Amino acid sequence: MKKFFTVLAFLFVIKSYAQSYYKNLFDSKGYAVVPLNSTSSNQVEFSWIVSAHMEALVMMYEKTHDVKYANVLIGTIGNVIDRRDDLRDQVPGLDTIYDYRHISGAAWSTDEYNTIPNDGKTYAHVVHSANITYPMAKFATIVKNDSTLHHLKYIGGGRYNDMSFKAISDDLKQKVKETIDYHGGQWYTEPNSNTNNSIGYYKERNDNPPINNAGEILPFNMQSAMGRVLVQMYLATDNPDYLTQLNQIANFIKANTSFNTNLGSNSWTYWKTSTLREDISHGGLTISFPHECRKYNISRGGTLIYTDSDIQAYANTLTKDIYKAPLYINNGVSYPNSPWDLKYPHPVGEDVSTYTCFQWASLSEYDEKIYQLLAEMQTAENYYTPLTPENFPLVVAYLAYYENLIVPVNTEHGWGSGSDWRGIASGNFDRDSANEFVVIRNYDGMIGTMEPCGKKFHSVTNDKYYSGQYNWRGIAAGDFFGDSKSEIIALSNHSDPGNNGAYILKIENNNIVEQTKSIGWDVQSDWVGAAAGNFITGDKDDFIAVKNLNKEVIVFKFNGTTPELVHTNALNLPADSKIAAVASGNLDNDDKDEIVLLVNSPNIAYNGIHVYDIDDNGVMTKITQSTGWGSASEWRGLAVGDIDANGVDEIFVHKNYDGEYVLYKLNGNALASVDVERFPILQTKDNIMCFGNFDPASKNEELVTLRKDGGIVMFSAAKVINSTSNFNPSKIADPCQNDIPSELFSLMKSPSFIKQELKEIVLVK
């Protein structure tokens, strides 16, 4: 399909580079700098906020190997260690902190969580110490295992200035050991368990501490928090004492975890001695320790402490217990009493923070559907608004770490499940630098044009309504009139021949108006859909209309604003086959577009993807196919576009059978499957989709899908190619630009994170 601004934008491009979508977001949000709260005099800042930022930084380094994250992490860690209770007096203006026992130790104590908050009697919580030291221990492990880092020097100032990464990691191992030792008096082992299956756990102190639950065994999520510190310390030091202790924690958690044979899932409570539910948020921390044990192959006596089946059961806890349906989740493990349907605001009176669930993304290694299950929630308005996940570095880091092929970036779930979407197509309806898309639904015959706005979508023109009698069967958009903007083709499978056929619409004075029609077609046509593109040599787009009656593809060109039939192609498909979808695009980088059909057929020799060339006479010739798929595939979604910004379009297909989106490239005369994105089946059932370049700052095309439940979801490529040009995207006229922060307005308008300040703060010699 011809795109008005494609050539113009290409001429202006002066720099392009590949970037992970969420890595780009992480940097553009300013998370790749030493956070100011790492220098706070208030110890409560380190308990969850700064510690989470450090964990995000170590994840970003582990994922990308970009040393800037290691430098920022070292600078942050240095600030945090400087503010440890027993080291604070080394910083001008800070005093040593003594806890409620009048002891100053290797921890970050606070009175924030006391029975009487802020009473001056500080207490160091095990979970806080674990949160803070985990990124330190993990970084020490990374350095140990990568000799290329050993002689790098950090020269960003502060505690570790002018020290090698190896020396820094050695010091971190010592500092973490000191904190573990500080909590040694809270560690208990059960006396009646044998050596291999001995059980150990942490308790709260029992010497009249200023907190609730004195002497009680800590909740499972807190045991796991320290457990994963021990995992990293064992990996960093090879000290068997850490292995013994983490094995004892694992045995304690296992002893208090039950297996649901019906769901194949694990179940546990918040405490050992209470029936209080384990909510999703705390559950994410609980499962992190078993996952790390398996991820790093932690074994004892040659036997894995956690096996693949153990972790699979935790994955099933999310997918089969907590998750009930797309955008519909329970509040906790084996706890159906407080479900939240994210298509509506959060439950009244419910603490929405208990629905935080990003840490479960780690289990996508065991069930790839988990990533899209969780990522969709993060961008749903009713989840996004109260929880603002993008405002938390660790959430973005998790989404970056596990992203694969596409990531959801814009959603709108306010449309009714009875919308009965029938088509979507990209085009340029307002002559700006980005595509928009047009949708058509059967419920009321609404045709509307939209573009991304904030995290949702904004109407570009006024909607047009037909009645619900037209039985719409697809929509296409292209520059059919040669006026440098897109017009619209809609196919009606009307029961009245006088209304059955193609409707040609244009944008005039911000309204969608009917220009002409090609009607009078057989009421049994069983139209499949339409596609626009450069099929017949000329300066205007053409279109094809596909019908299941006689398995025909009809080629049209325009004479002025009037469509003319060029040729009718009868396909060599079995009579019991059904063409499910049609799309077009330039798959081979020649001068003309190709046609792609999805075919469902009981005969597997025809079941799958069919690709055709078309000549100036409208005659189609098959180039290639990918068939042989099982008859239960139930092909549904199809889009053709440039997802990887290499200048050649790819084919994206979806089948209802397993919910997968599969990416194909044309390689000579063969179709090659190159990647796949997995979704929960119901999340993609009957999806209709199209590609378009909706973000002028990205060279990739984005994918828009219409959902059976009425929702609209836009995906960006996980790997984006950003374009820096001499036009300023922020100056593009858009009603949303002045209403929301720029980082929320664009899918990816921010430039790469290259700040002089960062160069001055953290450098590698």
Side-chain angles (χ1 to χ4, degrees):
M1 184 181 296
K2 300 183 183 73
K3 298 178 177 66
F4 175 61
F5 279 89
T6 300
V7 176
L8 181 62
F10 176 79
L11 291 174
F12 283 135
V13 171
I14 61 173
K15 181 180 179 182
S16 299
Y17 46 90
Q19 185 89 310
S20 156
Y21 177 87
Y22 278 112
K23 180 182 184 296
N24 200 334
L25 179 62
F26 191 92
D27 292 350
S28 70
K29 298 282 283 186
Y31 299 148
V33 296
V34 176
L36 288 176
N37 52 8
S38 68
T39 62
S40 174
S41 60
N42 184 355
Q43 301 296 73
V44 74
E45 291 283 344
F46 305 106
S47 304
W48 298 100
I49 301 173
V50 178
S51 60
H53 202 139
M54 290 192 296
E55 184 177 348
L57 289 165
V58 77
M59 287 186 73
M60 293 300 290
Y61 177 73
E62 186 180 37
K63 174 71 173 180
T64 67
H65 303 291
D66 187 337
V67 76
K68 79 176 179 183
Y69 296 115
N71 281 307
V72 176
L73 175 65
I74 291 169
T76 306
I77 288 174
N79 290 340
V80 172
I81 291 176
D82 283 345
R83 283 149 185 82
R84 204 173 74 177
D85 284 3
D86 57 342
L87 300 176
R88 282 166 54 96
D89 62 352
Q90 299 176 13
V91 179
L94 295 181
D95 296 324
T96 301
I97 290 180
Y98 296 88
D99 66 14
Y100 72 102
R101 302 168 300 166
H102 303 292
I103 294 175
S104 182
W108 296 258
S109 61
T110 176
D111 57 2
E112 178 77 13
Y113 302 97
N114 288 4
T115 305
I116 303 174
N118 305 311
D119 63 358
K121 301 175 182 179
T122 67
Y123 182 86
H125 296 265
V126 170
V127 68
H128 296 163
S129 293
N131 290 343
I132 294 166
T133 57
Y134 170 72
M136 302 176 187
K138 185 169 183 177
F139 183 65
T141 298
I142 290 173
V143 174
K144 174 194 173 186
N145 294 329
D146 187 352
S147 60
T148 64
L149 296 176
H150 291 183
H151 300 295
L152 290 181
K153 275 197 173 183
Y154 172 78
I155 54 173
R159 169 175 287 271
Y160 292 120
N161 186 52
D162 203 32
M163 290 177 61
S164 71
F165 278 27
K166 176 65 167 58
I168 294 169
S169 71
D170 289 341
D171 185 68
L172 291 179
K173 287 182 281 189
Q174 176 60 31
K175 292 295 189 294
V176 175
K177 179 183 182 299
E178 291 167 3
T179 299
I180 293 173
D181 292 345
Y182 171 84
H183 290 287
Q186 296 177 255
W187 174 252
Y188 294 82
T189 56
E190 293 190 353
N192 297 323
S193 53
N194 62 47
T195 302
N196 290 332
N197 295 311
S198 60
I199 291 175
Y201 41 74
Y202 284 93
K203 291 184 176 182
E204 297 287 13
R205 298 191 187 276
N206 198 25
D207 51 2
N208 197 32
I211 59 165
N212 293 316
N213 306 307
E216 292 290 337
I217 298 174
L218 292 178
F220 299 117
N221 72 86
M222 299 183 185
Q223 307 289 347
S224 277
M226 187 57 86
R228 63 181 189 156
V229 176
L230 297 169
V231 167
Q232 295 299 330
M233 286 297 285
Y234 172 61
L235 294 171
T237 66
D238 298 313
N239 186 335
D241 292 341
Y242 293 126
L243 177 61
T244 298
Q245 190 176 0
L246 71 87
N247 183 60
Q248 291 169 332
I249 292 177
N251 289 334
F252 172 65
I253 292 175
K254 290 177 183 178
N256 292 279
T257 301
S258 60
F259 183 72
N260 184 323
T261 55
N262 291 328
L263 300 178
S265 63
N266 284 334
S267 180
W268 66 97
T269 54
Y270 181 81
W271 301 84
K272 171 181 171 60
T273 57
S274 169
T275 59
L276 179 67
R277 78 187 186 285
E278 175 84 312
D279 62 65
I280 310 167
S281 178
H282 290 97
L285 186 53
T286 300
I287 60 98
S288 65
F289 166 60
H291 172 259
E292 291 228 344
C293 286
R294 182 63 195 93
K295 177 179 179 179
Y296 298 107
N297 298 309
I298 306 299
S299 62
R300 185 173 174 83
T303 302
L304 288 170
I305 290 177
Y306 280 97
T307 65
D308 285 338
S309 61
D310 293 329
I311 309 305
Q312 185 63 57
Y314 281 115
N316 291 346
T317 299
L318 176 65
T319 61
K320 298 182 180 181
D321 177 5
I322 293 174
Y323 176 83
K324 308 310 294 181
L327 297 172
Y328 188 79
I329 55 173
N330 287 334
N331 180 258
V333 178
S334 300
Y335 187 78
N337 294 350
S338 298
W340 184 8
D341 186 341
L342 270 65
K343 291 188 287 295
Y344 305 99
H346 63 85
V348 176
E350 189 76 27
D351 177 9
V352 296
S353 68
T354 61
Y355 292 90
T356 303
C357 53
F358 61 90
Q359 283 181 297
W360 292 84
S362 62
L363 300 183
S364 60
E365 295 175 343
Y366 287 83
D367 186 340
E368 292 180 283
K369 298 186 295 293
I370 284 176
Y371 183 86
Q372 290 294 347
L373 180 162
L374 296 172
E376 178 180 77
M377 291 169 55
Q378 310 299 315
T379 53
E381 180 185 18
N382 291 310
Y383 187 93
Y384 180 89
T385 301
L387 291 172
T388 57
E390 285 184 7
N391 288 343
F392 294 91
L394 191 54
V395 178
V396 180
Y398 263 88
L399 293 172
Y401 195 94
Y402 294 101
E403 68 185 358
N404 175 34
L405 177 61
I406 55 175
V407 294
V409 291
N410 289 70
T411 64
E412 191 163 338
H413 295 288
W415 301 88
S417 58
S419 292
D420 190 11
W421 299 113
R422 292 300 181 89
I424 181 169
S426 65
N428 194 310
F429 306 111
D430 56 7
R431 292 193 177 102
D432 66 2
S433 60
N435 283 158
E436 297 80 42
F437 60 93
V438 58
V439 299
I440 187 168
R441 66 180 184 182
N442 217 42
Y443 165 67
D444 54 5
M446 185 274 283
I447 301 175
T449 57
M450 302 180 191
E451 63 186 356
C453 173
K455 299 296 291 185
K456 299 175 65 176
F457 302 99
H458 165 78
S459 292
V460 178
T461 63
N462 295 321
D463 298 337
K464 180 175 179 62
Y465 290 84
Y466 286 86
S467 72
Q469 306 299 316
Y470 281 78
N471 194 11
W472 297 107
R473 292 295 183 89
I475 200 164
D479 182 7
F480 305 124
F481 299 169
D483 56 359
S484 299
K485 67 176 182 178
S486 295
E487 288 77 41
I488 300 165
I489 305 290
L491 281 181
S492 170
N493 211 54
H494 205 288
S495 59
D496 178 359
N499 294 307
N500 188 304
Y503 289 67
I504 294 88
L505 306 108
K506 64 179 181 178
I507 309 301
E508 190 173 89
N509 298 323
N510 209 42
N511 292 309
I512 301 171
V513 297
E514 189 178 295
Q515 171 72 27
T516 187
K517 294 183 271 192
S518 175
I519 55 176
W521 296 85
D522 192 320
V523 295
Q524 303 301 319
S525 293
D526 191 11
W527 298 104
V528 175
N534 180 17
F535 307 131
I536 310 298
T537 301
D539 296 329
K540 298 189 293 187
D541 281 332
D542 319 293
F543 78 95
I544 60 170
V546 182
K547 59 180 182 177
N548 270 313
L549 178 65
N550 300 326
K551 309 299 181 292
E552 292 179 343
V553 176
I554 307 167
V555 182
F556 293 87
K557 68 176 181 179
F558 277 86
N559 181 3
T561 60
T562 303
E564 290 186 355
L565 191 155
V566 178
H567 188 71
T568 299
N569 294 272
L571 305 178
N572 181 26
L573 294 173
D576 56 357
S577 299
K578 295 286 282 187
I579 303 171
V582 56
S584 65
N586 194 331
L587 302 172
D588 55 9
N589 201 27
D590 63 6
D591 294 332
K592 296 170 66 173
D593 292 330
E594 287 71 48
I595 296 168
V596 183
L597 300 178
L598 269 186
V599 177
N600 288 305
S601 177
N603 186 333
I604 63 172
Y606 296 91
N607 192 344
I609 307 164
H610 300 251
V611 181
Y612 302 85
D613 255 337
I614 187 167
D615 65 20
D616 281 352
N617 296 315
V619 178
M620 291 169 50
T621 304
K622 180 174 286 190
I623 303 173
T624 188
Q625 63 185 38
S626 175
T627 54
W629 296 86
S631 58
S633 298
E634 195 183 345
W635 300 101
R636 177 56 173 164
L638 171 65
V640 176
D642 189 5
I643 192 174
D644 58 7
N646 69 345
V648 181
D649 289 340
E650 292 80 39
I651 301 171
F652 223 37
V653 295
H654 157 250
K655 47 189 185 294
N656 275 336
Y657 171 72
D658 55 11
E660 291 183 353
Y661 285 5
V662 187
L663 182 68
Y664 284 86
K665 287 181 177 288
L666 182 62
N667 184 10
N669 290 325
L671 279 180
S673 172
V674 294
D675 212 337
V676 62
E677 190 75 57
R678 292 182 170 88
F679 294 77
I681 292 175
L682 292 179
Q683 197 167 314
T684 62
K685 185 174 177 61
D686 291 342
N687 276 10
I688 304 170
M689 59 180 71
C690 78
F691 274 110
N693 186 212
F694 306 108
D695 175 16
S698 165
K699 294 179 67 177
N700 308 67
E701 293 195 353
E702 291 76 39
L703 179 75
V704 187
T705 62
L706 302 181
R707 291 167 48 123
K708 187 176 182 180
D709 65 8
I712 306 175
V713 182
M714 178 180 288
F715 296 86
S716 175
K719 301 299 181 185
V720 296
I721 305 297
N722 290 347
S723 299
T724 303
S725 65
N726 62 2
F727 69 90
N728 186 350
S730 66
K731 294 181 179 179
I732 297 173
D734 189 284
C736 293
Q737 181 60 68
N738 297 323
D739 296 336
I740 59 175
S742 59
E743 64 268 27
L744 298 183
F745 168 70
S746 173
L747 298 181
M748 199 57 61
K749 286 191 171 63
S750 298
S752 173
F753 183 79
I754 305 174
K755 288 188 176 179
Q756 187 63 33
E757 299 94 300
L758 181 60
K759 294 178 182 177
E760 295 170 354
I761 295 173
V762 284
L763 296 173
V764 176
K765 182 181 292 182

